Amino acid sequence: MIVAIYPGSFDPITNGHLDIIDRARKIFDHLIVAVLQNPNKVPLFSAEERKRMIEEAVADFSNVEVEVFDGLLVHFARSRGCRVILRGLRAISDYEYETQIALTNRKMAPEIETVFLPTSTEYSYLNSTVVKEIARFGGCVRGLVPPGVERRLREKFSSVSR
Ligand code: PNS
């Protein structure tokens, strides 16, 4: 039984993340999407809001669960019996940062392997920052994020004057 963990900020989840989750759930027996509660960053959505949006998006995926974590990822992974950390790679520019994280995690927890999954080409330009930027200034994010996220982004920014 291989349990993989897919960590991230997910502020908010995009269809690029969802594509990785959908493909990874067919590879691993169980997938934990782990939402980072980072005390050093002020996110647009609270950790609980981010978790709820992911739960809605993965509702039909029986072997996927969503949890919030803080502290070191490897501690959380160990506490859940995970042997694999999964990260999506969009472009070669992601590689340097991702390798640094992977090697740091391996130093701390050699029994846990990091696995990279290339993002599907249609989402290779997409990230949460781009999505928030579009939504903040009234652009359309349909097709970039799950419908529940699209709605919440609209609500979040509806009171912001443009
Ligand atoms: O979606 P992100 O912001 O690129 O995800 C980054 C994440 C959550 C994978 C990374 O910041 C993380 O694992 N943070 C937890 C703290 C930790 O374990 N740090 C050591 C490895 S750099």
Side-chain angles (χ1 to χ4, degrees):
M1 165 102 175
I2 298 188
V3 181
I5 190 162
Y6 179 43
S9 303
F10 303 110
D11 186 36
I13 186 169
T14 68
N15 283 348
H17 295 128
L18 205 51
D19 166 65
I20 295 286
I21 293 169
D22 189 27
R23 287 157 57 211
R25 77 188 174 92
K26 296 164 189 160
I27 301 172
F28 301 105
D29 298 299
H30 191 76
L31 184 68
I32 299 174
V33 182
V35 179
L36 176 66
Q37 183 152 42
N38 186 346
N40 301 322
K41 262 194 198 170
V42 181
L44 178 63
F45 293 101
S46 72
E48 277 310 314
E49 285 177 309
R50 285 178 273 151
K51 177 175 186 257
R52 217 169 306 128
M53 286 188 279
I54 301 170
E55 279 172 344
E56 283 174 19
V58 303
D60 292 339
F61 302 163
S62 61
N63 62 337
V64 179
E65 67 177 312
V66 190
E67 288 200 55
V68 172
F69 80 104
D70 57 16
L72 286 179
L73 174 62
V74 290
H75 289 167
F76 179 71
R78 271 185 185 144
S79 75
R80 295 296 182 277
C82 293
R83 284 160 46 193
V84 174
I85 292 171
L86 174 73
R87 292 285 285 173
L89 278 186
R90 282 165 306 189
I92 198 73
S93 51
D94 282 343
Y95 186 79
E96 201 173 315
Y97 171 65
E98 292 299 335
T99 307
Q100 186 185 19
I101 296 183
L103 294 179
T104 307
N105 285 333
R106 190 195 288 169
K107 179 77 185 155
M108 294 186 285
E111 78 281 11
I112 300 175
E113 287 290 354
T114 296
V115 171
F116 296 137
L117 213 52
T119 307
S120 297
T121 44
E122 59 188 301
Y123 300 121
S124 61
Y125 64 96
L126 191 58
N127 65 26
S128 301
T129 305
V130 164
V131 163
K132 283 181 281 192
E133 183 86 350
I134 296 171
R136 185 184 303 274
F137 295 109
C140 178
V141 294
R142 187 157 307 154
L144 307 184
V145 292
V149 176
E150 185 188 351
R151 179 173 50 76
R152 283 186 183 79
L153 280 167
R154 222 180 299 117
E155 287 165 5
K156 202 58 117 177
F157 290 123
S158 63
S159 56
V160 178
S161 57
R162 299 189 190 111

